[in-house]
Amino acid sequence: RSRRQGNSYDPGPVGGIEKWTHDTEWNISHIETARGAAWNLLYGMLGVSVVYLVLGMYINHLKTGATSWQAIPHIEFWSSPNGLLALVLYVLVMLCITLAGWFSGKLETPEAFVGQFEHDTEWNVEHVEVNPGTPWTLLQGGLIIVVGYLVLGMAYMHFGQGQSGIRMIPNLEFWTSAGGAVVAAVTMLFFLWVVFTGWTAGTLRTPVGWAEKFAHDTEWNIGHVADDRGASLNLLTGLGWVALLYFGVGSVLNFLAGYRGPEIVPNLAFWIAYPALVADGIYVTKQLLSGESRSVKGMANSNHETFSTF
């Protein structure tokens, strides 16, 4: 919960960990009375678990080249009696939250969720041309389903079946068959229909419109970092998403291509040389501002790619 004052975001006096603790306590005490409280708790617990597993496995693979179950962070603890007890308690807590939400009617059952999903999807498809934001809702939902299917399926194929490389793709035999090709083609055509219908009807921003909005919002956030609490958070969130997409997608592609260990990091050679490039850039700038250029020429003969030659 937060307050909004005008167009600026104000999280109130409680911030950071204190706000997270306060909201968690509030959600726990309102599981049976407030719609969304149970879902907020489950969403938070799942989010923490996913971040812990993904980052931990990524770091372990980079450090030791571990794969399969050995890449799970703190695998020795989780396979011990204390770790198994902690896992059981964690699952029991999530189960209690779920049951409390179901019995109180504040958390949708799986049947109700599926029914609501089907209803919303049909409504969005019928209103692609008349309701702004509807095409983006369809695209966002479809991407979440595709990404979730690939991530969960690849994790199962790698950890459960011991597959690696392109064999990690779930149901690979089906997708390489004629039936899989038809399903993939129909799905792609549906996405294209949503995009072009939204563009034609003006209910979905074109790439130029997205770029203009992104540039405008970024410029506004940079100009209001000092006087708006949400501006700095928006910038950090945007940078975080860019980094996540770059390293996440790049690492997955490199892993599927057969790279292991630190080699899965996209453009590894550049990032290894990046600190030296920054140092060289600062040095070159100082030399240029002072009017001295002989040292800059000498740097080009060093054994690493410098900022001036880069």
Side-chain angles (χ1 to χ4, degrees):
R1 299 187 305 281
S2 59
R3 300 196 307 269
R4 286 192 176 275
Q5 297 177 350
N7 293 325
S8 62
Y9 173 73
D10 179 17
V14 183
I17 296 178
E18 294 181 353
K19 182 181 184 301
W20 181 82
T21 304
H22 175 270
D23 290 350
T24 302
E25 294 176 353
W26 188 93
N27 284 319
I28 293 175
S29 61
H30 291 78
I31 290 179
E32 300 180 348
T33 58
R35 182 173 295 276
W39 171 245
N40 289 337
L41 291 171
L42 294 174
Y43 182 78
M45 296 178 71
L46 289 173
V48 171
S49 301
V50 170
V51 171
Y52 167 75
L53 286 174
V54 172
L55 288 182
M57 292 167 64
Y58 189 73
I59 293 173
N60 282 344
H61 185 73
L62 292 180
K63 291 173 61 177
T64 64
T67 58
S68 188
W69 295 102
Q70 296 301 319
I72 296 177
H74 310 108
I75 184 62
E76 295 81 7
F77 168 74
W78 296 116
S79 57
S80 67
N82 290 333
L84 293 175
L85 178 61
L87 285 174
V88 171
L89 292 176
Y90 190 79
V91 173
L92 286 176
V93 169
M94 297 185 67
L95 183 60
C96 291
I97 293 173
T98 302
L99 293 176
W102 283 353
F103 289 129
S104 63
K106 302 302 180 183
L107 182 66
E108 292 179 338
T109 62
E111 294 80 5
F113 180 82
V114 172
Q116 185 66 37
F117 174 80
E118 293 177 350
H119 174 270
D120 291 347
T121 302
E122 292 177 2
W123 189 92
N124 285 322
V125 171
E126 295 173 356
H127 293 78
V128 167
E129 300 182 77
V130 296
N131 189 58
T134 297
W136 173 242
T137 301
L138 288 171
L139 295 174
Q140 188 180 38
L143 288 175
I144 290 175
I145 293 175
V146 172
V147 172
Y149 167 77
L150 288 175
V151 171
L152 294 178
M154 292 171 66
Y156 170 75
M157 295 297 293
H158 182 65
F159 296 109
Q161 303 295 324
Q163 300 293 340
S164 60
I166 196 172
R167 302 296 304 177
M168 291 171 55
I169 298 177
N171 308 113
L172 181 62
E173 293 77 10
F174 170 73
W175 295 114
T176 54
S177 66
V182 171
V183 173
V186 171
T187 303
M188 184 61 66
L189 288 175
F190 173 75
F191 282 146
L192 291 175
W193 173 79
V194 172
V195 170
F196 285 110
T197 302
W199 285 353
T200 304
T203 54
L204 180 67
R205 286 192 180 95
T206 62
V208 176
W210 276 110
E212 292 176 349
K213 184 179 185 302
F214 174 80
H216 174 269
D217 292 349
T218 302
E219 182 179 355
W220 189 93
N221 286 321
I222 293 175
H224 292 80
V225 168
D227 55 14
D228 190 278
R229 293 187 178 184
S232 56
L233 179 62
N234 291 336
L235 290 172
L236 292 175
T237 302
L239 291 173
W241 277 111
V242 171
L244 178 63
L245 289 174
Y246 170 75
F247 285 104
V249 175
S251 297
V252 169
L253 293 177
N254 284 343
F255 188 85
L256 293 176
Y259 293 96
R260 296 294 183 268
E263 297 296 327
I264 69 172
V265 176
N267 309 113
L268 179 62
F270 168 77
W271 294 114
I272 292 177
Y274 185 72
L277 292 174
V278 174
D280 289 345
I282 296 174
Y283 185 80
V284 168
T285 303
K286 290 174 61 177
Q287 296 299 314
L288 292 176
L289 292 176
S290 62
E292 301 178 8
S293 60
R294 59 181 181 275
S295 297
V296 176
K297 296 179 180 179
M299 289 177 63
N301 297 322
S302 61
N303 57 1
H304 67 274
E305 186 178 26
T306 64
F307 180 83
S308 56
T309 59
F310 178 79

